[in-house]
Amino acid sequence: MTTTHLPFLNIDPASRRVSLDGRNPDFYRDPNPAYAALHAHCPTFWWEEQKMWYFTGYDHVNALLRDRRFGRQILHVATREELGMPAPQPHLAHFDAAEAWSLLELEPPEHTRLRTLVNRAFVSRMIEKLTPEIAALCHEAIDRFERDGRVELLSAFADILPVTMIARMIGIPDAMGPQLLKWSHAYVRMYMFGRTREDEVNADRAAEEFSDYVRGVIAERRAEPRDDLLSHMVHTEHRGQLLTEDELVSTTIVLLNAGHEATVHQIGNAVRTILENGADPAMLFADAKTTERTVEECLRISAPVHIFQRYALEDVELDGIRFRRGEKVAMILAAANLDPKKFTDPLTFRPDRDEGANLSFGAGIHFCIGAPLARLELNVALPILFQRLPGLRIEKKPVVKDVYHFHGLEALELAW
């Protein structure tokens, strides 16, 4: 093994074997140096602890996300028996049911049908109409703490904006926001490294309660449609088909979870990045163009979601690695954003950077459907925050959550 300057990372470039403890605080607090070492020595590697091949190169990740020889599901082309896949676990029955028709987990033609029905609400021209509402929510939140001279930003601001907006779009009352956050936090523990049996039990319970609640709202929208996304999904046909109850539940849950979880992290990550780099907010947010570039650079250098996985749908070779049908492969989106072959001086925060798109929202048919909404929320919220609170500074060293492969803060204590 080649020992890097990082004590938690060992790389053998010849065999492309890497040992890296994803639960090591020195790693998950700041994964970027490890990603830089991987780019330098072994951008495609077998992660010993995870027992899977990982890709970090921008071109490889970008191509893999679009490669139809790989997919998010596998049981539509092979059986569990053929693949040697274990049977579903009884204690995850509710979670598995809620995920069964998730947009994140499906392949065409089911994915195409569900995404077509939902997509209309998330196209940029529809999302842009939400700008005044997003701005009003930001100002209302800041009004509550501006005079205090200090705030914990995630609970007082970042948690509120995305969950309120996605809930309103779908047709869920604002008052449900705190409960949605509790369900979502339990739910996403299923995707963390080192999840426990307790995490699984809590996620299954959250999925059961979340599903029951959504079924109740669906019944209301069947009886009395409103001008919201859930009513649209309930009553709109695609090629003569309405969504089933189970499809509606899965789709609503994934939109609510994905519609806020990553954006909460990204607001915190972006504010921290800007403040720690001593950047001048007046320059960063001088106009729409500089704001947009600042947001994209924050997304590039401090992405909220780091890993996505795919199954090989057929026998395939990529970067000299042979994958058999049913084998999993993973891409580190956040590392692809730091590829020195794509971005010059990639570990440096450069808000005027103009070197192409980051991969924080993915690519291909599973490109994040909520990306236009998340981008708009960031482009509206960050300038308002820094304009309303001049002299904003970090009061207490931020603590990063032990939730790899998500990347976000436990809290962000600010003062002004």
Side-chain angles (χ1 to χ4, degrees), residues 347-363:
L347 268 61
T348 300
F349 177 64
R350 283 181 26 200
D352 60 344
R353 191 186 295 273
D354 187 15
E355 296 178 316
N358 63 72
L359 294 176
S360 296
F361 291 112

Side-chain angles (χ1 to χ4, degrees), residues 264-283:
V264 170
H265 287 331
Q266 191 56 41
I267 291 172
N269 293 351
V271 172
R272 178 193 184 188
T273 297
I274 290 165
L275 293 176
E276 288 188 342
N277 281 277
D280 179 7
M283 299 288 288

Side-chain angles (χ1 to χ4, degrees), residues 90-102:
H91 74 285
L92 291 175
H94 297 107
F95 182 86
D96 290 343
E99 286 287 275
W101 296 99
S102 165

Side-chain angles (χ1 to χ4, degrees), residues 67-301:
D67 194 330
R68 300 306 303 131
R69 297 173 299 174
F70 295 86
R72 284 291 295 166
Q73 63 178 160
I74 187 66
L75 295 179
H76 63 309
V77 297
T79 65
R80 288 181 178 272
E81 290 72 26
E82 286 178 278
L83 299 170
M85 190 180 288
Q89 297 174 282
H91 74 285
L92 291 175
H94 297 107
F95 182 86
D96 290 343
E99 286 287 275
W101 296 99
S102 165
L103 277 168
L104 288 174
E105 306 298 336
L106 294 177
E107 290 298 303
E110 287 84 359
H111 176 270
T112 309
R113 182 167 60 91
L114 265 67
R115 183 150 180 148
T116 300
L117 274 174
V118 175
N119 200 51
R120 189 188 75 166
F122 289 94
V123 294
S124 295
R125 66 180 180 276
M126 299 294 288
I127 292 298
E128 284 166 8
K129 296 176 182 176
L130 300 174
T131 300
E133 192 172 354
I134 294 171
L137 265 177
C138 292
H139 285 296
E140 287 168 15
I142 295 170
D143 286 344
R144 288 192 284 269
F145 60 73
E146 183 180 19
R147 293 182 181 179
D148 299 338
R150 56 179 36 83
V151 72
E152 194 292 290
L153 191 74
L154 301 189
S155 58
F157 186 82
D159 274 346
I160 296 168
L161 173 62
V163 73
T164 303
M165 287 308 302
I166 191 63
R168 286 180 182 177
M169 286 179 68
I170 291 171
I172 306 293
D174 288 5
M176 281 298 295
Q179 181 60 65
L180 294 176
L181 287 171
K182 288 177 184 175
W183 283 330
S184 181
H185 292 333
Y187 207 90
V188 299
R189 292 294 311 181
M190 289 292 291
Y191 301 103
M192 309 308 176
F193 281 21
R195 78 184 193 208
T196 64
R197 172 81 179 210
E198 183 182 6
D199 290 333
E200 293 177 347
V201 170
N202 290 339
D204 194 70
R205 185 185 306 114
E208 180 181 18
E209 294 173 1
F210 208 161
S211 298
D212 288 346
Y213 173 74
V214 170
R215 288 182 196 280
V217 183
I218 289 169
E220 292 173 7
R221 295 302 182 274
R222 284 196 200 284
E224 295 183 35
R226 299 184 188 175
D227 184 20
D228 56 37
L229 180 54
L230 188 51
S231 296
H232 168 73
M233 292 194 296
V234 167
H235 293 280
T236 303
E237 294 182 356
H238 177 65
R239 295 183 178 175
Q241 279 187 292
L242 290 168
L243 293 185
T244 67
E245 178 106 343
D246 289 342
E247 288 171 338
L248 286 166
V249 170
S250 286
T251 305
T252 302
I253 288 177
V254 76
L255 289 175
L256 282 164
N257 283 344
H260 76 271
E261 191 81 30
T263 310
V264 170
H265 287 331
Q266 191 56 41
I267 291 172
N269 293 351
V271 172
R272 178 193 184 188
T273 297
I274 290 165
L275 293 176
E276 288 188 342
N277 281 277
D280 179 7
M283 299 288 288
L284 299 183
F285 306 116
D287 54 39
K289 188 64 180 175
T290 60
T291 297
E292 182 183 338
R293 285 199 177 167
T294 297
V295 166
E296 292 306 308
E297 179 67 350
C298 289
L299 282 162
R300 184 194 69 83
I301 203 168

